[in-house]
Amino acid sequence: MKIGFVGLGNMGAPMAANLAAAGHAVTGYDPVARPDGLRMAASATAAAQGADVVITMLPDGAILRAVAARIHPAMRTGAIHLDCSTVDVQSARAVAQAAGALRLGAMDAPVSGGIGGATQGTLTFMAGGPAETFATLAPLFDTMGSRAILCGAAGAGQAAKLCNNMILGVTMIATCEAFVLGDSLGLDRQALFDVVSTSSGQSWSLTSYCPAPGIGPASPADNGYRPGFAAALMRKDLDLAQQAAAEGGAETPLGAQAADLYRQFVAEGGGGQDFSAVLPWLARRSRT
Ligand code: NAD
């Protein structure tokens, strides 16, 4: 396929590289990043012209809306705008509607799997949009990832991502709190892991991504809490979940509390650390 790729940061650059390596004709655009070996256009509009699919991988909904307003008029009728950024549900829906008005296809498909998954081509895509658009994009999802799930109409991909990451933020904090409580009770951390990882308190945050160093499988905790998944990105996703909850009138008290705690952690300088570094942060704040 002929692909335009706008937004070539930590995630976009390796995703575009994998598409080019698979034989697609990829033309990229980014105002700052200059990834090696990728054909670059002078503007987002130029990258979009004549493309079958234009992929965007951008920081937030406001930037996505601005970029969409520029690239949509440049795209050929029937071409597809595939947005893989994590943005608010309203922006995803608005961009899909704007594309439809110009007789373009559109799909929101945020990802999980991080920079490692983007580089290795093992991302999971959570997609929102029409089934036939999903089918057309299947070869691209296969190249950039190992799983793609069609979650519903426009915005449903973002909705699924926000729900997943709200659970992730809450379970990570709960897991960290359990280690801090265990410490205060003189409970050995390995013993706590051995019990909880095979009991009803287990979750991915504990068993696959244990926030305590030296325990469980290798995780960012074993690497000085280098991300992994940065706390600043978790804060962003929890804020988006709270924005969606407020708009939809959904009651999510623990999601709100998790958003507050990550906001505080980031404000105190933790944003560049892995999101599991909440464990040493809570431990420092605990009474000794
Ligand atoms: P990033 O900041 O590294 O990359 C974003 C890129 O967009 C930058 O290179 C920037 O120059 C470019 N950009 C900004 N404004 C632009 C504009 N107007 N036109 C064109 N390009 C523009 O961010 P990232 O880590 O690659 O993340 C991208 C998206 O993926 C975000 O929405 C993020 O939440 C999501 N995400 C990131 C991760 C991760 O682990 N990094 C994981 C899952 C999802």
Side-chain angles (χ1 to χ4, degrees):
M1 286 188 199
K2 208 169 162 221
I3 297 171
F5 206 118
V6 180
L8 298 162
N10 289 320
M11 297 291 290
M15 290 164 72
N18 284 336
L19 291 170
H24 297 288
V26 183
T27 304
Y29 172 73
D30 191 294
V32 180
R34 293 280 169 274
D36 288 340
L38 197 71
R39 185 179 34 210
M40 296 292 278
S43 66
T45 310
Q49 263 156 8
D52 302 308
V53 177
V54 180
I55 302 176
T56 46
M57 194 53 169
L58 298 164
D60 61 42
I63 294 176
L64 169 66
R65 286 177 191 240
V67 168
R70 287 210 300 279
I71 61 174
H72 286 177
M75 290 169 66
R76 65 161 181 78
T77 304
I80 298 171
H81 177 189
L82 169 61
D83 177 52
C84 297
S85 329
T86 302
V87 302
D88 56 288
V89 176
Q90 298 297 353
S91 291
R93 288 181 181 151
V95 163
Q97 203 172 16
L102 292 172
R103 292 197 285 147
L104 303 171
M107 179 144 281
D108 55 292
V111 301
S112 77
I115 299 164
T119 306
Q120 288 148 30
T122 56
L123 293 169
T124 294
F125 291 87
M126 294 152 261
E132 70 261 28
T133 308
F134 184 71
T136 306
L137 295 172
L140 306 188
F141 292 139
D142 282 349
T143 299
M144 296 187 285
S146 45
R147 239 181 130 210
I149 301 153
L150 181 59
C151 301
Q158 299 293 349
K161 162 112 191 170
L162 296 184
C163 289
N164 180 73
N165 281 20
M166 186 173 75
I167 295 172
L168 178 62
V170 168
T171 57
M172 179 54 78
I173 291 169
T175 302
C176 294
E177 287 186 9
F179 276 111
V180 168
L181 177 60
D183 290 348
S184 76
L185 295 169
L187 179 62
D188 179 62
R189 286 185 166 188
Q190 184 67 52
L192 176 64
F193 178 87
D194 291 344
V195 170
V196 177
S197 63
T198 54
S199 301
S200 46
Q202 73 89 21
S203 71
W204 185 89
S205 294
L206 179 78
T207 53
S208 301
Y209 207 88
C210 183
I215 292 171
S219 70
D222 301 310
N223 192 22
Y225 293 102
R226 293 228 332 263
F229 184 48
L233 289 173
M234 175 51 85
R235 192 206 85 149
K236 171 191 167 182
D237 291 359
L238 290 170
D239 283 347
L240 289 175
Q242 284 311 293
Q243 189 185 329
E247 282 162 6
E251 183 67 8
T252 57
L254 287 181
Q257 189 70 31
D260 276 351
L261 281 166
Y262 274 104
R263 219 172 284 138
Q264 223 176 307
F265 180 59
V266 169
E268 291 179 22
Q273 287 188 287
D274 188 73
F275 80 115
S276 61
V278 160
L279 174 55
W281 181 66
L282 288 176
R284 279 196 301 279
R285 285 158 48 116
S286 299
R287 285 190 298 265
T288 45

